[in-house]
Amino acid sequence: MKLGLNIDHVATIRQARGGFEPDPVAAAVLATLSGADSIVCHLREDRRHLQDRDLVLLRQVVQTRLNMEMAPTQEMIEKALQVRPAVCTFVPEKREERTTEGGLDVSSNLGRIKEAVTALNASGIEVSLFINPQVSVVRECVKTEAQAVELHTGLFAEARDEQVRYHTLEDLRSASIAAAKLGFFVAAGHGLNYHNVSSVASLPEIQELNIGHAIIARAVFVGLPKALEDMRYLIDR
Ligand code: PXP
């Protein structure tokens, strides 16, 4: 199973002082040397963490896979076409949210999403759709002709009792099976940490986990290579 590191959280610390440190580009290089399979970054409309300069430099230094999270807006599509990451993950974006809260509303935005997928694919950029883990939503994604889906693990990660944990994991299981059967590359992420990752990693259809906050939080104490190694161990086990 592949592990993508979301480096926005490094940029968040940098932006707290508005200076140069810590640099998410340095984090991407170190993470790659430490075995991360891809680097995930989210250029938000409000530029609250990642900056345009970061994206340009990341494209130059990330030799594995650069995954650019973005809202499917005209501005971001133009950015992606300039920078040409390996993959763009479409996420919904609300200005007031602290982090991405829910999956894409695919059916209400079908035309817009399909158009964006076509434009990016024409430049050799794959598209992944960040969606809630529901079979009906997975089916809707087929109409967009995207190559991948990323299942939102937030509800599972936030579950505080066994019943909810069980049901939210079952939703992830059914959605991942449906997505794989329909030919999508299947990723998952959001809120995964060292305590909950094993259950999601045990779902055979999921091919990639994208994790940010928990790894960067641990890296503050043990360093990024060790934080990645610890996560990799739990995923592989
Ligand atoms: N995947 C997507 C689409 C996200 O928006 C995020 C959060 O930026 C993540 C994965 C990683 O979430 P977390 O930081 O909670 O691990």
Side-chain angles (χ1 to χ4, degrees):
M1 181 173 282
K2 295 193 181 304
L3 172 60
L5 176 69
N6 184 315
I7 53 161
D8 299 341
H9 308 276
V10 177
T12 299
I13 302 172
R14 176 191 61 190
Q15 296 312 108
R17 285 291 171 100
F20 299 98
E21 289 180 331
D23 193 330
V25 180
V29 173
L30 185 55
T32 305
L33 289 173
S34 308
D37 297 297
S38 61
I39 298 297
V40 186
C41 64
H42 184 176
L43 189 67
R44 295 185 76 104
E45 186 197 14
D46 62 10
R47 307 297 198 272
R48 73 170 73 151
H49 36 54
L50 205 82
Q51 305 299 308
D52 296 57
R53 160 269 186 205
D54 301 329
L55 189 61
V56 171
L57 291 177
L58 285 168
R59 182 63 188 89
Q60 290 171 25
V61 302
V62 175
Q63 303 293 323
T64 50
R65 255 167 90 78
L66 181 63
N67 181 344
M68 175 186 173
E69 286 182 21
M70 55 180 255
T73 60
Q74 197 50 43
E75 183 204 358
M76 288 303 153
I77 292 161
E78 281 167 21
K79 274 270 162 229
L81 290 172
Q82 279 164 17
V83 173
R84 299 170 72 106
V87 52
C88 286
T89 299
F90 291 174
V91 298
E93 212 175 277
K94 290 192 215 115
R95 238 168 219 280
E96 60 288 3
E97 70 191 353
R98 226 185 267 177
T99 177
T100 314
E101 280 168 2
L104 277 172
D105 181 351
V106 179
S107 55
S108 310
N109 296 291
L110 201 56
R112 193 155 71 95
I113 292 173
K114 187 164 190 281
E115 227 173 83
V117 171
T118 308
L120 293 171
N121 282 177
S123 284
I125 304 166
E126 288 171 26
V127 176
S128 179
L129 306 177
F130 184 55
I131 55 167
N132 291 329
Q134 291 161 7
V135 174
S136 58
V137 182
V138 171
R139 292 210 181 104
E140 200 65 15
C141 290
V142 175
K143 299 180 193 159
T144 70
E145 294 177 19
Q147 287 68 47
V149 294
E150 178 173 337
L151 303 175
H152 195 322
T153 50
L155 285 181
F156 164 77
E158 280 157 24
R160 288 291 162 263
D161 73 77
E162 268 318 307
Q163 282 275 75
V164 181
R165 196 167 294 129
Y166 172 80
H167 287 296
T168 49
L169 187 64
E170 285 311 296
D171 288 344
L172 286 164
R173 188 190 306 281
S174 320
S176 63
I177 291 170
K181 269 197 191 138
L182 289 166
F184 289 109
F185 177 86
V186 188
H190 210 283
L192 295 177
N193 61 36
Y194 294 84
H195 309 288
N196 62 25
V197 75
S198 301
S199 314
V200 179
S202 72
L203 301 176
E205 278 76 16
I206 296 183
Q207 293 160 275
E208 176 182 82
L209 296 179
N210 292 320
I211 307 179
H213 182 83
I215 295 176
I216 301 302
R218 181 173 288 220
V220 170
F221 298 110
V222 304
L224 189 54
K226 177 78 169 91
L228 278 162
E229 186 191 316
D230 292 351
M231 185 57 83
R232 174 71 75 183
Y233 171 77
L234 292 170
I235 291 173
D236 290 348
R237 197 184 57 165

Coordinates of all heavy atoms in Angstrom, one line a residue, residues 6 8-9 40 42 44 49 69 89-91 99-100 130 150-151 153 188-193 210-215, ligand 1:
N6 N 0.9 14.4 3.3 CA 0.4 15.8 3.1 C 1.2 16.8 3.8 O 1.3 16.7 5.0 CB -1.1 15.8 3.5 CG -1.8 17.1 3.2 OD1 -1.2 18.1 3.5 ND2 -3.0 17.0 2.7
D8 N 0.9 20.2 3.8 CA 0.3 21.5 4.1 C 0.5 21.9 5.6 O 0.7 23.1 5.9 CB -1.2 21.4 4.0 CG -1.6 21.1 2.6 OD1 -0.8 21.2 1.7 OD2 -2.8 20.6 2.4
H9 N 0.6 20.9 6.4 CA 0.8 21.2 7.9 C 2.1 21.8 8.2 O 2.2 22.5 9.2 CB 0.5 19.9 8.7 CG -0.8 19.2 8.3 ND1 -2.0 19.6 8.8 CD2 -1.0 18.3 7.4 CE1 -2.9 18.9 8.2 NE2 -2.4 18.1 7.4
V40 N 1.6 15.2 -1.1 CA 0.3 15.7 -1.3 C 0.3 17.2 -0.8 O 0.8 17.4 0.3 CB -0.8 14.9 -0.5 CG1 -2.2 15.5 -0.9 CG2 -0.7 13.5 -0.8
H42 N -2.1 21.0 -0.9 CA -3.4 21.6 -1.2 C -3.2 23.1 -1.4 O -3.0 23.8 -0.4 CB -4.4 21.3 -0.1 CG -5.8 21.8 -0.3 ND1 -6.8 21.6 0.6 CD2 -6.4 22.5 -1.3 CE1 -8.0 22.1 0.1 NE2 -7.7 22.7 -1.1
R44 N -5.0 26.2 -1.6 CA -6.3 26.7 -1.3 C -6.5 28.1 -1.9 O -5.6 28.9 -2.0 CB -6.6 26.8 0.2 CG -6.6 25.5 0.9 CD -7.0 25.7 2.4 NE -8.4 25.9 2.5 CZ -9.2 24.9 3.0 NH1 -8.8 23.8 3.3 NH2 -10.5 25.2 3.1
H49 N -2.1 28.1 3.7 CA -0.9 27.4 4.1 C 0.1 27.3 2.9 O 1.1 28.0 2.8 CB -1.1 26.1 4.8 CG -2.3 25.3 4.3 ND1 -2.5 24.9 3.0 CD2 -3.3 24.7 4.9 CE1 -3.5 24.2 2.8 NE2 -4.1 24.0 4.0
E69 N -4.0 18.8 -4.3 CA -5.4 18.9 -4.0 C -5.9 20.3 -4.4 O -5.1 21.3 -4.1 CB -5.6 18.8 -2.5 CG -5.4 17.4 -2.0 CD -5.6 17.3 -0.5 OE1 -6.3 18.3 0.1 OE2 -5.2 16.4 0.2
T89 N -6.2 16.1 -7.1 CA -7.4 15.6 -6.3 C -8.3 16.7 -6.1 O -8.0 17.7 -5.5 CB -6.9 15.0 -4.9 OG1 -6.0 13.9 -5.2 CG2 -8.1 14.5 -4.1
F90 N -9.5 16.5 -6.6 CA -10.6 17.6 -6.4 C -11.2 17.4 -5.0 O -11.7 16.4 -4.7 CB -11.7 17.5 -7.5 CG -11.2 17.8 -8.9 CD1 -12.1 17.6 -10.0 CD2 -9.9 18.3 -9.1 CE1 -11.7 17.9 -11.3 CE2 -9.5 18.6 -10.4 CZ -10.4 18.4 -11.5
V91 N -11.2 18.5 -4.3 CA -11.8 18.6 -3.0 C -12.8 19.7 -2.9 O -12.6 20.7 -3.6 CB -10.8 18.7 -1.9 CG1 -9.8 17.5 -1.9 CG2 -10.0 20.0 -2.0
T99 N -10.3 22.5 8.0 CA -9.7 21.6 7.0 C -10.8 21.1 6.1 O -12.0 21.5 6.4 CB -9.0 20.5 7.7 OG1 -8.4 19.6 6.7 CG2 -9.9 19.7 8.7
T100 N -10.5 20.3 5.1 CA -11.6 19.8 4.2 C -12.6 19.0 5.0 O -12.2 18.1 5.7 CB -11.0 19.0 3.1 OG1 -9.8 19.6 2.6 CG2 -12.0 18.7 2.0
F130 N -12.2 13.3 -4.2 CA -12.3 13.1 -2.8 C -13.8 13.0 -2.4 O -14.5 14.0 -2.5 CB -11.6 14.2 -2.1 CG -11.5 14.1 -0.6 CD1 -11.0 12.9 0.0 CD2 -12.0 15.1 0.3 CE1 -10.9 12.8 1.4 CE2 -11.9 15.0 1.6 CZ -11.3 13.8 2.2
E150 N -10.7 9.1 -3.8 CA -10.1 9.1 -2.5 C -11.2 9.1 -1.5 O -12.0 10.0 -1.5 CB -9.1 10.3 -2.2 CG -8.6 10.2 -0.8 CD -7.5 11.3 -0.5 OE1 -6.9 11.8 -1.5 OE2 -7.3 11.6 0.6
L151 N -11.3 8.0 -0.7 CA -12.5 7.9 0.2 C -12.2 8.7 1.5 O -11.1 8.5 2.1 CB -12.7 6.4 0.5 CG -13.0 5.6 -0.7 CD1 -13.1 4.1 -0.3 CD2 -14.3 6.0 -1.5
T153 N -12.0 9.4 5.1 CA -12.0 8.6 6.3 C -12.4 9.3 7.6 O -12.2 8.8 8.7 CB -10.6 7.9 6.5 OG1 -9.6 8.9 6.4 CG2 -10.4 6.8 5.4
A188 N -7.4 6.6 0.2 CA -8.3 7.0 1.3 C -7.5 8.0 2.2 O -6.2 7.9 2.2 CB -8.7 5.8 2.1
G189 N -8.2 8.8 2.9 CA -7.4 9.7 3.8 C -8.3 10.7 4.5 O -9.5 10.8 4.2
H190 N -7.8 11.3 5.5 CA -8.3 12.4 6.4 C -8.5 11.8 7.8 O -9.3 10.9 8.0 CB -9.7 12.9 5.9 CG -9.8 14.4 6.2 ND1 -10.2 14.7 7.5 CD2 -9.6 15.5 5.6 CE1 -10.2 16.1 7.6 NE2 -9.9 16.5 6.4
G191 N -7.8 12.4 8.7 CA -7.9 12.1 10.1 C -7.3 10.8 10.5 O -7.4 10.4 11.7
L192 N -6.5 10.2 9.6 CA -5.9 8.9 10.0 C -4.7 9.2 10.9 O -4.0 10.2 10.7 CB -5.5 8.1 8.7 CG -6.6 7.7 7.8 CD1 -6.1 7.0 6.6 CD2 -7.6 6.7 8.6
N193 N -4.5 8.3 11.9 CA -3.4 8.5 12.8 C -2.8 7.1 13.2 O -3.2 6.1 12.7 CB -3.8 9.3 14.0 CG -4.9 8.7 14.8 OD1 -5.0 7.4 14.9 ND2 -5.8 9.5 15.3
N210 N -3.4 8.7 2.2 CA -2.8 10.1 2.3 C -3.0 10.7 3.7 O -4.1 10.8 4.1 CB -3.5 11.0 1.2 CG -3.2 10.5 -0.2 OD1 -2.0 10.1 -0.4 ND2 -4.1 10.5 -1.1
I211 N -1.9 10.9 4.3 CA -1.9 11.3 5.7 C -1.0 12.5 5.9 O 0.1 12.6 5.4 CB -1.4 10.1 6.6 CG1 -2.2 8.8 6.3 CG2 -1.5 10.5 8.1 CD1 -1.8 7.6 7.0
G212 N -1.5 13.4 6.7 CA -0.8 14.7 7.0 C -0.6 15.0 8.5 O 0.5 14.8 9.1
H213 N -1.7 15.4 9.1 CA -1.5 16.0 10.5 C -0.8 15.0 11.5 O 0.1 15.5 12.2 CB -3.0 16.3 11.0 CG -2.9 16.9 12.3 ND1 -2.7 18.3 12.5 CD2 -3.1 16.4 13.6 CE1 -2.7 18.5 13.8 NE2 -2.9 17.4 14.5
A214 N -1.2 13.8 11.5 CA -0.7 12.9 12.5 C 0.8 12.7 12.3 O 1.6 12.7 13.3 CB -1.4 11.5 12.5
I215 N 1.3 12.6 11.1 CA 2.7 12.4 10.8 C 3.5 13.6 11.1 O 4.6 13.5 11.8 CB 2.9 11.9 9.3 CG1 2.3 10.6 9.1 CG2 4.4 11.9 9.0 CD1 2.3 10.1 7.7
Ligands
PXP1 N1 -6.8 13.7 1.9 C1 -7.4 14.9 1.6 C2 -8.2 15.0 0.4 C3 -7.3 16.0 2.5 O1 -8.0 17.1 2.2 C4 -6.5 15.9 3.6 C5 -6.4 17.0 4.6 O2 -5.7 18.1 4.0 C6 -5.9 14.6 3.9 C7 -6.0 13.6 3.0 C8 -5.0 14.4 5.1 O3 -5.7 14.6 6.2 P1 -5.0 14.6 7.6 O4 -4.1 15.9 7.6 O5 -6.1 14.7 8.6 O6 -4.2 13.4 7.7

